């Protein structure tokens, strides 16, 4: 027994223990306060212990925790109604996570062609740098070698093209293609937004070829970008969309949304889940929507993200040796570093600001959407201090 650590060592955890949170702030067991611009990786959309969410969860906990999907769950129907009313979708399937929402999206697309007499159309085209989750199918969809290595044969049926290579995308479509799957803004991949022309081009390409457009808005959805969903910037709609993270505000759940046509193969018995759409999750999801759909909420997100973006732009001007680019949409923000992004995350942590590393040497800033302009300015001071520390170290 050389090693007594009880947990899988799949994570590189920072040695900090947070005991409580309120709004955008977290407090450690030693009473130190941190500004949380990680938000549990874009999950705590309304910050920590939001009173409306706490109330919704507590009052549901006093009534019913769990029912199987063998019964009617009124709050599940209500949340589905609200999601379909607010989006392109006609149908919703609730899951426990983002990866499961993607699994449902992939199954929905394949099944659509199966029931419409084209079972050979099952392949899905994805984009290099994508992240769709850690299940066997979603690591195949994401196509990243570091997540596939050692896990046996890659799940069949995913073809990958380079980010932004429209010609390659066009050529990758065959008689076996069912769908194109993309994130409107790649999160893990380094906060890379797909330009609106590309989003429109994708929609056209799918229509021309009679294939489905699947969007992964697990990270970019539910107000994160300043629109309810990021694809709204392009004025287009997908056929299928996976969401999770922000919709639960910290309660783990996700959903797959689809048009009635795209979901036409998902009939009784074709798919299922024990926990998906559980009453506790649905109570919180409805409470999240109460806040996010309220008048003025998204304009708040836009206002504060402008403050963040302008502040970061001026820091980029002052520290050109450290910051290569500031990018993203709304409060899905990325700082592309010239030196190590891990060093910047560490330096920010020593200024008691939490941030998240991403691909392409990017640091993600993902504050709760309720962050105030004042808290953004506080964060900018901490970022400035961290950059100053790194630049004095370098010289
Ligand atoms: C986080 C994420 C997922 C996976 O969600 P899990 O809840 O971790 O399974 C999928 N796609 C995107 C874009 C994500 O950011």
């Amino acid at each position: 027994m050389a090693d007594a650590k009880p947990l899988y060592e799949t994570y590189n955890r920072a040695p900090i223990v947070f005991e409580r949170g309120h709004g955008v702030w977290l407090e450690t067991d030693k009473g130190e306060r941190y500004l949380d611009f990680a938000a549990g990786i874009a999950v705590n959309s309304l910050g920590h212990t939001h009173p409306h969410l706490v109330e919704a969860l507590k009052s549901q906990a006093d009534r019913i925790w769990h029912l199987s999907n063998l019964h009617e769950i009124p709050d599940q129907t209500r949340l589905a109604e609200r999601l379909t009313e607010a989006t392109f979708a006609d149908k919703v399937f609730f899951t426990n996570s983002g990866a499961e929402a993607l699994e449902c999206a992939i199954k929905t697309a394949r099944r659509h062609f199966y029931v419409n007499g084209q079972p050979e159309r099952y392949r899905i085209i994805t984009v290099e740098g994508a992240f769709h989750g850690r299940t066997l199918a979603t690591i195949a969809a994401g196509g990243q070698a570091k997540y596939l290595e050692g896990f046996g044969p890659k799940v069949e049926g995913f073809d990958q093209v380079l980010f932004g290579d429209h010609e390659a995308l066009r050529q990758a479509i065959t008689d076996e293609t069912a769908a194109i799957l993309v994130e409107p803004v790649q999160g893990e991949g380094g906060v890379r937004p797909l330009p609106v022309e590309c989003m429109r081009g994708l929609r056209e390409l799918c229509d021309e070829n009679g294939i489905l457009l699947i969007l992964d808005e697990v990270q970019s959805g539910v107000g994160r970008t300043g629109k309810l969903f990021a694809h709204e910037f392009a004025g287009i709609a997908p056929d299928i969309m996976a969401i999770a993270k922000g919709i639960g505000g910290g309660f783990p759940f996700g959903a797959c949304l689809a048009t009635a046509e795209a979901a036409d193969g998902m009939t009784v018995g074709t798919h299922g889940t024990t926990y998906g759409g559980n009453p506790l999750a649905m109570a919180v999801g409805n409470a999240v929507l109460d806040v996010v759909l309220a008048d003025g909420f998204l304009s708040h997100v836009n206002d504060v993200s402008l403050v963040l973006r302008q502040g970061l732009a001026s820091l980029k001007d002052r520290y050109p040796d450290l910051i290569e680019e500031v990018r993203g949409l709304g409060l899905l923000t990325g700082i592309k570093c010239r030196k190590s992004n891990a060093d910047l995350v560490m330096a920010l942590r020593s200024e008691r600001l939490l941030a998240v590393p991403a691909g392409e040497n990017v640091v993600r800033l993902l504050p709760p959407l309720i962050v105030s302009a004042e808290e953004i300015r506080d964060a900018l001071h901490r970022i400035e201090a961290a950059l100053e520390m790194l630049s004095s170290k370098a010289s």
Side-chain angles (χ1 to χ4, degrees):
M1 231 185 58
D3 182 353
K5 289 181 186 158
L7 292 170
Y8 270 37
E9 290 176 55
T10 50
Y11 300 110
N12 189 10
R13 296 174 195 271
I16 314 176
V17 177
F18 291 110
E19 260 186 2
R20 49 175 52 84
H22 184 70
V24 182
W25 297 88
L26 281 169
E27 195 180 315
T28 68
D29 53 356
K30 300 185 182 70
E32 301 152 336
R33 273 160 56 84
Y34 283 69
L35 252 183
D36 183 9
F37 274 42
I41 316 186
V43 166
N44 300 99
S45 46
L46 303 185
H48 300 278
T49 56
H50 189 288
H52 187 58
L53 303 197
V54 171
E55 165 57 25
L57 186 59
K58 281 187 173 165
S59 78
Q60 184 60 49
D62 282 335
R63 283 178 281 139
I64 290 178
W65 286 30
H66 181 74
L67 286 168
S68 73
N69 283 302
L70 300 173
H71 304 280
E72 290 290 337
I73 301 177
D75 277 351
Q76 199 184 107
T77 310
R78 189 162 86 87
L79 183 54
E81 270 166 9
R82 296 174 81 189
L83 286 170
T84 56
E85 207 157 285
T87 67
F88 70 96
D90 307 305
K91 297 275 185 192
V92 182
F93 184 92
F94 289 106
T95 67
N96 309 297
S97 67
E100 284 171 288
L102 265 304
E103 290 270 345
C104 181
I106 294 162
K107 289 178 78 173
T108 300
R110 288 183 172 184
R111 208 38 216 186
H112 166 73
F113 288 102
Y114 177 82
V115 298
N116 284 283
Q118 290 183 286
E120 72 286 357
R121 276 201 188 273
Y122 69 92
R123 306 193 68 83
I124 293 177
I125 299 172
T126 66
V127 175
E128 160 269 333
F131 181 80
H132 298 300
R134 298 291 203 110
T135 63
L136 288 169
T138 55
I139 57 175
Q144 298 202 38
K146 65 180 177 188
Y147 296 144
L148 285 159
E149 189 186 356
F151 294 116
K154 189 178 147 195
V155 170
E156 231 273 299
F158 296 94
D159 302 307
Q160 198 154 57
V161 298
L162 282 179
F163 188 91
D165 189 341
H166 278 239
E167 205 34 52
L169 190 61
R170 198 173 286 280
Q171 283 171 17
I173 298 172
T174 71
D175 294 343
E176 294 184 347
T177 304
I180 298 173
L181 162 61
V182 298
E183 297 154 84
V185 185
Q186 283 192 351
E188 298 286 325
V191 191
R192 289 200 289 185
L194 272 185
V196 292
E197 316 85 72
C198 293
M199 293 287 288
R200 292 187 190 131
L202 281 176
R203 181 68 270 177
E204 277 167 27
L205 201 55
C206 287
D207 291 343
E208 280 164 23
N209 289 278
I211 60 177
L212 302 174
L213 179 61
I214 308 175
L215 294 181
D216 179 347
E217 293 232 26
V218 168
Q219 192 157 156
S220 59
V222 197
R224 171 70 37 199
T225 63
K227 296 266 190 201
L228 188 57
F229 292 102
H231 66 263
E232 295 169 22
F233 283 103
I236 59 133
D239 301 290
I240 303 173
M241 175 169 75
I243 68 172
K245 293 198 167 100
I247 186 65
F251 198 94
F253 87 93
C256 176
L257 283 65
T259 64
E261 189 186 358
D264 61 1
M266 302 305 277
T267 48
V268 172
T270 52
H271 195 43
T273 162
T274 301
Y275 289 120
N278 159 297
L280 293 169
M282 297 299 99
V284 178
N286 275 304
V288 167
L289 281 194
D290 291 342
V291 177
V292 172
L293 295 178
D295 274 352
F297 186 83
L298 294 176
S299 59
H300 166 82
V301 174
N302 286 306
D303 291 348
V304 293
S305 66
L306 213 61
V307 178
L308 180 59
R309 196 54 60 86
Q310 283 170 348
L312 291 175
S314 88
L315 288 174
K316 172 181 175 288
D317 291 343
R318 287 178 47 206
Y319 298 95
D321 296 343
L322 294 173
I323 301 181
E324 185 179 325
E325 192 189 354
V326 175
R327 63 198 194 189
L329 273 178
L331 291 176
L332 177 41
T333 318
I335 302 173
K336 184 162 165 55
C337 302
R338 290 203 190 275
K339 311 247 166 69
S340 148
N341 62 343
D343 286 354
L344 180 55
V345 169
M346 287 289 272
L348 293 172
R349 193 191 300 153
S350 67
E351 296 298 326
R352 300 199 181 156
L353 176 72
L354 300 181
V356 189
E360 292 210 317
N361 210 27
V362 164
V363 172
R364 268 177 290 178
L365 298 174
L366 309 162
L369 308 181
I370 50 133
V371 66
S372 68
E374 197 183 325
E375 287 160 336
I376 296 265
R377 283 189 283 271
D378 186 336
L380 286 164
H381 288 306
R382 292 169 198 243
I383 297 166
E384 181 180 357
L387 291 167
E388 189 56 40
M389 186 173 83
L390 289 174
S391 79
S392 61
K393 240 191 231 166
S395 57

